[in-house]
Amino acid sequence: MYDIMKQAEEKLVQVGTDLTISVVVFVLSIVLLTIITYIILTIKNSKKPIEERKSNIAIFLISVFTGWAITTLVFVYRMVMIGLQRLSQ
């Protein structure tokens, strides 16, 4: 039993080490896209009349959701393409 637990722990550490870069890139891309979207929406919002403007919190939430959605779509597309490439080999 101890041997199985040790093997599982070693595999968990190996998977964590292998996927650390992907997780860091994923989080950084979400943050970067959120910042870019927030800047663009803030500029567009400032050009609107006062009655039609959105609050900064609404713009921030829209930016976070947009950054997360775009990043997730790119990573899912990447994983699907890797899977299809391995299946075709």
Short mmCIF file of all heavy atoms in Angstrom, two decimals, residues 1-15:
data_model
loop_
_atom_site.label_atom_id
_atom_site.label_comp_id
_atom_site.label_asym_id
_atom_site.label_seq_id
_atom_site.Cartn_x
_atom_site.Cartn_y
_atom_site.Cartn_z
N MET A 1 0.82 -1.19 0.00
CA MET A 1 0.00 0.00 0.00
C MET A 1 0.86 1.26 0.00
O MET A 1 0.54 2.23 -0.67
CB MET A 1 -0.92 -0.05 1.22
CG MET A 1 -1.90 1.07 1.29
SD MET A 1 -3.07 0.89 -0.06
CE MET A 1 -4.31 1.98 0.45
N TYR A 2 1.95 1.21 0.77
CA TYR A 2 2.82 2.38 0.85
C TYR A 2 3.46 2.66 -0.50
O TYR A 2 3.63 3.82 -0.89
CB TYR A 2 3.89 2.15 1.92
CG TYR A 2 4.88 3.28 2.03
CD1 TYR A 2 4.51 4.49 2.60
CD2 TYR A 2 6.17 3.15 1.53
CE1 TYR A 2 5.39 5.54 2.69
CE2 TYR A 2 7.07 4.19 1.61
CZ TYR A 2 6.68 5.38 2.19
OH TYR A 2 7.56 6.41 2.27
N ASP A 3 3.80 1.60 -1.25
CA ASP A 3 4.44 1.75 -2.56
C ASP A 3 3.49 2.44 -3.55
O ASP A 3 3.92 3.30 -4.32
CB ASP A 3 4.86 0.37 -3.08
CG ASP A 3 5.71 0.48 -4.33
OD1 ASP A 3 6.57 1.38 -4.36
OD2 ASP A 3 5.51 -0.32 -5.26
N ILE A 4 2.21 2.09 -3.51
CA ILE A 4 1.23 2.70 -4.42
C ILE A 4 1.07 4.19 -4.10
O ILE A 4 1.02 5.03 -5.00
CB ILE A 4 -0.12 1.98 -4.32
CG1 ILE A 4 0.02 0.56 -4.85
CG2 ILE A 4 -1.20 2.73 -5.07
CD1 ILE A 4 -1.20 -0.30 -4.62
N MET A 5 1.03 4.52 -2.82
CA MET A 5 0.90 5.93 -2.42
C MET A 5 2.12 6.73 -2.84
O MET A 5 2.00 7.88 -3.27
CB MET A 5 0.69 6.03 -0.91
CG MET A 5 -0.64 5.47 -0.44
SD MET A 5 -2.04 6.34 -1.15
CE MET A 5 -1.99 7.82 -0.19
N LYS A 6 3.29 6.13 -2.74
CA LYS A 6 4.51 6.82 -3.14
C LYS A 6 4.53 7.07 -4.64
O LYS A 6 4.91 8.14 -5.10
CB LYS A 6 5.74 6.03 -2.70
CG LYS A 6 7.02 6.76 -2.93
CD LYS A 6 8.18 6.08 -2.27
CE LYS A 6 9.41 6.91 -2.55
NZ LYS A 6 10.49 6.65 -1.67
N GLN A 7 4.09 6.07 -5.43
CA GLN A 7 4.03 6.24 -6.88
C GLN A 7 3.02 7.33 -7.26
O GLN A 7 3.28 8.14 -8.16
CB GLN A 7 3.65 4.92 -7.56
CG GLN A 7 4.73 3.89 -7.54
CD GLN A 7 4.25 2.57 -8.13
OE1 GLN A 7 3.07 2.40 -8.41
NE2 GLN A 7 5.18 1.64 -8.31
N ALA A 8 1.88 7.33 -6.60
CA ALA A 8 0.87 8.35 -6.89
C ALA A 8 1.39 9.75 -6.56
O ALA A 8 1.16 10.70 -7.31
CB ALA A 8 -0.40 8.06 -6.09
N GLU A 9 2.10 9.86 -5.46
CA GLU A 9 2.67 11.16 -5.08
C GLU A 9 3.70 11.63 -6.10
O GLU A 9 3.72 12.80 -6.48
CB GLU A 9 3.31 11.05 -3.70
CG GLU A 9 3.86 12.36 -3.20
CD GLU A 9 4.52 12.22 -1.83
OE1 GLU A 9 4.26 11.21 -1.14
OE2 GLU A 9 5.27 13.12 -1.46
N GLU A 10 4.53 10.70 -6.57
CA GLU A 10 5.54 11.06 -7.57
C GLU A 10 4.89 11.51 -8.88
O GLU A 10 5.34 12.46 -9.51
CB GLU A 10 6.47 9.87 -7.81
CG GLU A 10 7.40 9.58 -6.65
CD GLU A 10 8.17 8.28 -6.82
OE1 GLU A 10 7.96 7.58 -7.84
OE2 GLU A 10 8.98 7.96 -5.93
N LYS A 11 3.82 10.79 -9.29
CA LYS A 11 3.13 11.18 -10.53
C LYS A 11 2.45 12.53 -10.38
O LYS A 11 2.44 13.34 -11.31
CB LYS A 11 2.12 10.11 -10.92
CG LYS A 11 2.76 8.88 -11.47
CD LYS A 11 1.76 7.92 -12.01
CE LYS A 11 2.51 6.70 -12.55
NZ LYS A 11 1.65 5.82 -13.31
N LEU A 12 1.88 12.79 -9.22
CA LEU A 12 1.23 14.07 -8.97
C LEU A 12 2.24 15.22 -9.05
O LEU A 12 1.97 16.27 -9.65
CB LEU A 12 0.54 14.06 -7.61
CG LEU A 12 -0.23 15.32 -7.24
CD1 LEU A 12 -1.38 15.54 -8.21
CD2 LEU A 12 -0.75 15.21 -5.83
N VAL A 13 3.40 15.02 -8.48
CA VAL A 13 4.45 16.04 -8.54
C VAL A 13 4.91 16.24 -9.97
O VAL A 13 5.11 17.37 -10.43
CB VAL A 13 5.64 15.65 -7.62
CG1 VAL A 13 6.83 16.54 -7.86
CG2 VAL A 13 5.23 15.70 -6.16
N GLN A 14 5.04 15.15 -10.73
CA GLN A 14 5.47 15.25 -12.13
C GLN A 14 4.44 16.01 -12.97
O GLN A 14 4.80 16.89 -13.75
CB GLN A 14 5.69 13.86 -12.72
CG GLN A 14 6.14 13.90 -14.16
CD GLN A 14 6.26 12.52 -14.76
OE1 GLN A 14 5.96 11.52 -14.12
NE2 GLN A 14 6.67 12.46 -16.02
N VAL A 15 3.16 15.70 -12.80
CA VAL A 15 2.11 16.40 -13.55
C VAL A 15 2.07 17.88 -13.17
O VAL A 15 1.93 18.75 -14.02
CB VAL A 15 0.74 15.73 -13.31
CG1 VAL A 15 -0.40 16.59 -13.82
CG2 VAL A 15 0.70 14.36 -13.95
#
